[in-house]
Amino acid sequence: MPPLPAGRVLQVVQAPDPVLATPGMMVDPTAPEVIALAADLLATQAVSPGCVGLAAQQVGIAWRVFSVDVTGHPKARTCHGEFVLCNAVVESATRKERGREGCMSVPDFTGDVARARRLVVRGQLPVTGEWVTLETDAFEAVALQHEIDHTDGMIFLDRVAGPHAVHPRRTYL
Amino acid sequence: MTLPPPVLAVTVLGDDRPGIVAELTEALAGVGGNLEDSTMTLLRGHFAMVVLVRTGASQEDVESAMAPLAQSGGLSVDVRSLPDPAHLSGAGQPFTLRVHGADRPGIVASITRVLARHQGNIVDLGTRLGSALYVLMAEVMLPEGTDVEAVQADLAEAASGLGVDVSLHPVDDDLL
Ligand SMILES: [Zn+2]
């Protein structure tokens, strides 16, 4: 990851805010406002307990930018540390398993979602705009799919596995 | 400032056909009802639904609004006022319970008794009977600090007495 300027902590928006359902625009990863957003996402994620990823939509901006950091998570295997990707797409997704996930933008519920546990993603780094291919697995793969969904204007409720797959969120999450 | 109206539980049972949910919820909307949680399923072809609704209308008005459904639809409808729950359940760790085996009396009773002994709280449950096979799926909250292996061992013992297979697995749940 190229170094980023210091970011600001932004307010996280919650469903049903329409921005969460808005597919993101492609961005120029070298543009100053995109670099600033990348830094803001990391700063906001860092102060949010238990948060392992944040997409532009969640701070009110419908752009194809998100941050991920699964460092230290017990279910992570491959871990690329703290990073931001722009214009990311899933190249391949295999070994789907069902898990229960929650989202800072959906405070009341969790949902059962099938997500690939082997994942290849292509995207651009902020600042340089370099295209990178990221291969990952386990929890980092789940986090990436969840964030890429946000940049496509989808939340986990768009993917839940059936009428008994939405649950009240436990308070400590 | 006035208190919110009490929540009414509307229970509907009967022969299934297309349109029951639409008719029921239109009738509730007609008395200003705001739907809260609800669940509906088919039990061997029988329509079964419980819906919680808040409305400024009286229970009698809601019952009258349900009358056409009961009369022409051949459905049994019950409306009752529910007090707010004394405590919100949902504390603890969630587990998925799966049981399947040859049908016989007492499977659900024996298995759920084991959970109750361990203070397990069932928060979702469904059972299905096939031509010979009985299947039970449940979500159970076990208190923090529960000896899960002990629960699993007790379940296995009960299951072997019944000749069924049982499994109890933690539910992954992660904030992303
Ligand atoms: Zn999210």
Side-chain angles (χ1 to χ4, degrees):
Chain A
M1 260 296 290
L4 293 171
R8 301 161 301 161
V9 173
L10 302 178
Q11 171 119 28
V12 174
V13 304
Q14 295 184 348
D17 191 309
V19 72
L20 291 167
T22 308
M25 284 195 320
M26 297 282 280
V27 296
D28 172 3
T30 66
E33 60 273 24
V34 173
I35 296 168
L37 173 64
D40 292 347
L41 288 174
L42 288 177
T44 306
Q45 180 184 322
V47 299
S48 309
C51 175
V52 297
L54 202 61
Q57 272 77 354
Q58 292 181 276
V59 296
I61 301 169
W63 289 356
R64 304 193 64 84
V65 182
F66 66 83
S67 63
V68 160
D69 183 5
V70 301
T71 306
H73 194 282
K75 287 175 195 154
R77 282 212 296 275
T78 300
C79 172
H80 291 83
E82 180 188 76
F83 61 92
V84 173
L85 281 183
C86 305
N87 306 322
V89 288
V90 172
E91 299 260 284
S92 93
T94 53
R95 295 203 200 162
K96 276 199 171 184
E97 286 174 30
R98 195 158 144 171
R100 186 167 297 180
E101 57 188 67
C103 174
M104 282 179 65
S105 297
V106 186
D108 295 336
F109 302 116
T110 57
D112 300 332
V113 181
R115 302 270 192 204
R117 261 58 178 179
R118 302 274 305 180
L119 191 74
V120 181
V121 165
R122 237 170 85 76
Q124 287 175 285
L125 296 176
V127 182
T128 61
E130 180 194 350
W131 280 97
V132 292
T133 299
L134 225 120
E135 262 189 73
T136 191
D137 54 28
F139 190 63
E140 194 177 60
V142 173
L144 275 163
Q145 291 164 86
H146 180 105
E147 301 313 328
I148 292 174
D149 273 356
H150 274 306
T151 66
D152 285 333
M154 289 174 69
I155 56 178
F156 73 83
L157 294 175
D158 297 307
R159 291 208 188 263
V160 286
H164 284 273
V166 176
H167 311 272
R169 180 149 132 190
R170 292 188 291 151
T171 42
Y172 72 86
L173 272 180
Chain B
M1 174 151 170
T2 52
L3 288 169
V7 70
L8 297 175
V10 179
T11 305
V12 181
L13 296 168
D15 282 347
D16 188 45
R17 59 178 168 79
I20 298 174
V21 175
E23 288 165 34
L24 169 67
T25 52
E26 279 160 11
L28 292 172
V31 289
N34 190 34
L35 305 192
E36 298 187 351
D37 292 11
S38 67
T39 185
M40 179 253 132
T41 194
L42 288 185
L43 303 172
R44 306 215 132 212
H46 303 283
F47 178 94
M49 183 166 182
V50 183
V51 52
L52 301 186
V53 58
R54 269 185 220 271
T55 164
S58 67
Q59 183 172 334
E60 292 67 34
D61 289 343
V62 174
E63 280 167 349
S64 315
M66 297 293 103
L69 210 64
Q71 280 151 18
S72 68
L75 295 163
S76 98
V77 182
D78 176 77
V79 180
R80 64 185 57 212
S81 173
L82 294 184
D84 283 329
H87 55 89
L88 283 174
S89 44
Q93 293 280 344
F95 287 79
T96 300
L97 173 77
R98 301 179 176 90
V99 180
H100 56 85
D103 187 37
R104 54 170 285 172
I107 297 176
V108 181
S110 305
I111 295 292
T112 57
R113 177 52 60 197
V114 171
L115 297 171
R117 275 209 314 268
H118 289 275
Q119 305 304 314
N121 192 31
I122 297 170
V123 295
D124 201 356
L125 177 140
T127 67
R128 298 282 180 196
L129 176 61
S131 51
L133 188 67
Y134 194 77
V135 181
L136 180 160
M137 291 280 299
E139 182 154 325
V140 184
M141 304 302 288
L142 291 176
E144 304 287 345
T146 297
D147 181 349
V148 176
E149 284 178 14
V151 181
Q152 288 167 327
D154 289 354
L155 285 170
E157 190 188 333
S160 88
L162 295 158
V164 300
D165 292 309
V166 66
S167 71
L168 182 76
H169 291 294
V171 175
D172 273 343
D173 77 359
D174 296 301
L175 181 59
L176 293 176

